[in-house]
Amino acid sequence: MEPEPSWEDYGYWPIRKENRTRKVDPEVVDSLVRTYVDDEERHVVCINTILPDDIIEQVLGHLPVSTIIKAGCVCKKWNDILQSGQFIHNFPNVSPQKPWYFMFTNDSDPRGHVYDPLFSRWYRFEIPYVERPTWNIVSSSGLVCFMNNDSMRKLYVCNPITKHCRKLAGPAGAEVYDYCALAISLDKSSQNYTMAVVRSKQDPREEENWYLSIDVYCSEKNQWECPVDVTLQAWRSRTDSVICGGILYFGVYLTRLMGFVRPRYGVLAYDLASHSFDPDVDERVIPAPCLVTCMRLINLKEELVMVGGIEKQGRFGVIKGIGIWVLRGKEWEEVSRMPNKFFRGFGEFDDVFASSGFDNLIYIQSYGSPVLLMFEMNSKEWRWSHRCPAIKKNPLQLFSGICFEARLDISP
């Protein structure tokens, strides 16, 4: 099999202006230069000489992101156009993109592969400053946010396409916790973003009690606030959270056994604007629609979507399939269930898995193999991605990933 290309083969965005040897994709050049051949000589007409700059800019603006980055290697003029403030400002208005999926293909190496669904192609890729795939990592539009799990002292917000990255101070408070969830939401009009960290720690004196804290960061104010610091009875937070329409949703788990009632999953909602939170959560929890072993929360067009592993009756921790639901008020409406042929196609499927999405596209990935499945919300279509070139080298090797929107105009 032909080795997959590295993103570095085309140069990272933005293309550096200093002189260096650029690797040019011949397909890009051939598609943009018309050649006329007669019996005596070869005449080449370059579009730079016949089209004004604004027309060239409009043409380039309608290209997919991956092609735009390659086009910056063609000549200095195109490189200058693509790096201009006017092009970056106009780009999101003319070039809709499908979300990409970045897969960590080694459980100890932060490098991996990124999948472009428009061209059904994988590239070797790396998100800067991520030290381990086990870090908390979430996304919103063109931003990816990641944080180390042990101390929360390594917190970054990054545009993985442009490689523009910003390091933030983590929230104050105790550094030791049992569970932590991270969420981020970007306002595209202002490019301000809100980040939330949900932490849960068991009370060493009362095992049924769990300390819950919610810290919120506003990029516009450049500061953290701790609007919630309460104790919950029997409920603890999980590692899944997402912000939709100004509401922070985070997963919770019932740890107390009451008769024949088993521990269950649910979702709590916190209004980021009102800063009000009722610690008596028994009536406020939105329970999962069925017995699930894994719950992944996703923001699709400001609607809360859940992807969950459906548990086999009487087989704790064993899933028989995967379902997709959307929250309507306080009720879950089922959208689709994964067909058995796709469920079996993963080869080995644990009771937990990775899932993320954007716009109308959801990605689902097994931790046990580099297999990637896609689901289109509009058409209700399930389909595989092209095969990832990564190979599982040992039985204990794990895979994980994150979906993000490929954008050039977003910067942390």
Side-chain angles (χ1 to χ4, degrees):
M1 182 175 67
E2 182 182 353
E4 79 282 5
S6 168
W7 201 245
E8 297 181 8
D9 292 343
Y10 305 113
Y12 286 115
W13 179 275
I15 305 300
R16 301 297 182 186
K17 291 187 176 181
E18 62 264 27
N19 292 328
R20 63 182 175 89
T21 303
R22 295 189 177 93
K23 297 181 180 180
V24 179
D25 188 340
E27 293 182 359
V28 175
V29 179
D30 290 343
S31 65
L32 297 169
V33 178
R34 294 187 60 190
T35 303
Y36 301 90
V37 180
D38 55 26
D39 295 335
E40 298 181 355
E41 60 183 5
R42 179 188 181 103
H43 301 283
V44 178
V45 178
C46 178
I47 65 173
N48 287 345
T49 63
I50 59 176
L51 292 179
D53 290 355
D54 59 333
I55 300 299
I56 295 177
E57 178 182 320
Q58 291 184 37
V59 173
L60 294 176
H62 282 82
L63 299 176
V65 169
S66 56
T67 307
I68 286 176
I69 296 176
K70 299 174 190 179
C73 301
V74 172
C75 64
K76 182 179 183 301
K77 182 173 183 177
W78 287 12
N79 186 37
D80 291 341
I81 291 175
L82 296 175
Q83 293 192 71
S84 67
Q86 178 176 326
F87 179 83
I88 299 298
H89 176 74
N90 293 330
F91 174 73
N93 299 324
V94 296
S95 184
Q97 307 291 323
K98 287 188 175 182
W100 293 7
Y101 190 84
F102 173 73
M103 182 185 296
F104 293 106
T105 51
N106 190 303
D107 50 357
S108 61
D109 191 338
R111 293 171 296 181
H113 293 75
V114 69
Y115 182 70
D116 180 357
L118 188 62
F119 291 106
S120 301
R121 194 169 190 182
W122 291 90
Y123 299 94
R124 292 193 304 273
F125 199 78
E126 181 178 4
I127 299 178
Y129 298 99
V130 176
E131 296 178 10
R132 297 188 64 83
T134 55
W135 279 19
N136 265 319
I137 180 166
V138 294
S139 69
S140 178
S141 297
L143 292 183
V144 172
C145 177
F146 41 93
M147 177 180 68
N148 65 323
N149 293 314
D150 48 1
S151 67
M152 296 189 300
R153 290 297 176 259
K154 297 179 180 179
L155 177 62
Y156 298 89
V157 181
C158 172
N159 182 329
I161 298 297
T162 66
K163 306 301 177 182
H164 293 160
C165 198
R166 180 184 179 188
K167 183 177 182 181
L168 301 176
E175 297 183 1
V176 180
Y177 53 87
D178 295 317
Y179 298 92
C180 179
L182 180 66
I184 186 172
S185 177
L186 173 71
D187 184 336
K188 293 182 181 179
S189 60
S190 65
Q191 294 203 13
N192 294 321
Y193 51 90
T194 301
M195 190 184 312
V197 176
V198 182
R199 291 178 286 180
S200 188
K201 178 177 174 59
Q202 191 173 32
D203 186 340
R205 298 165 298 179
E206 298 288 342
E207 293 185 355
E208 285 189 352
N209 294 339
W210 291 81
Y211 300 122
L212 174 74
S213 66
I214 300 177
D215 296 88
V216 178
Y217 174 83
C218 176
S219 65
E220 185 177 14
K221 299 178 181 178
N222 191 26
Q223 66 181 26
W224 287 91
E225 296 178 350
C226 184
V228 173
D229 191 0
V230 297
T231 300
L232 305 183
Q233 290 187 347
W235 292 97
R236 66 163 171 83
S237 67
R238 301 184 64 253
T239 57
D240 305 287
S241 65
V242 68
I243 299 173
C244 296
I247 305 295
L248 170 66
Y249 296 94
F250 57 96
V252 290
Y253 183 77
L254 180 62
T255 61
R256 177 180 58 195
L257 291 175
M258 300 176 60
F260 296 99
V261 178
R262 291 180 38 202
R264 57 176 181 165
Y265 293 93
V267 174
L268 275 176
Y270 170 68
D271 192 329
L272 294 172
S274 66
H275 299 301
S276 61
F277 186 83
D278 185 356
D280 186 13
V281 301
D282 287 299
E283 299 299 324
R284 296 166 54 88
V285 171
I286 305 171
C290 62
L291 293 178
V292 298
T293 63
C294 182
M295 177 168 45
R296 300 293 181 234
L297 304 178
I298 304 172
N299 179 350
L300 294 185
K301 294 186 174 181
E302 300 306 319
E303 287 190 322
L304 180 63
V305 174
M306 185 184 78
V307 181
I310 304 170
E311 186 175 289
K312 282 187 176 181
Q313 188 71 27
R315 299 287 302 278
F316 178 71
V318 179
I319 62 176
K320 62 180 180 180
I322 291 179
I324 298 175
W325 297 266
V326 61
L327 186 65
R328 306 293 186 194
K330 291 189 177 182
E331 300 292 332
W332 294 103
E333 176 184 307
E334 185 171 314
V335 176
S336 180
R337 293 201 180 190
M338 182 186 296
N340 286 332
K341 65 177 182 179
F342 291 104
F343 184 73
R344 295 193 302 267
F346 278 98
E348 53 177 304
F349 215 130
D350 203 351
D351 59 342
V352 292
F353 51 87
S355 182
S356 60
F358 181 78
D359 196 23
N360 289 308
L361 186 61
I362 294 176
Y363 291 97
I364 300 175
Q365 178 198 340
S366 166
Y367 285 144
S369 65
V371 178
L372 186 62
L373 183 64
M374 298 180 289
F375 176 73
E376 287 277 359
M377 288 286 288
N378 288 342
S379 62
K380 307 297 187 295
E381 177 189 3
W382 295 86
R383 69 179 187 276
W384 297 109
S385 74
H386 276 217
R387 183 174 179 177
C388 179
I391 299 175
K392 188 169 185 175
K393 298 180 181 179
N394 63 77
L396 299 180
Q397 183 177 346
L398 299 178
F399 302 85
S400 60
I402 186 69
C403 166
F404 65 90
E405 187 182 12
R407 296 179 68 100
L408 304 174
D409 59 312
I410 299 298
S411 178

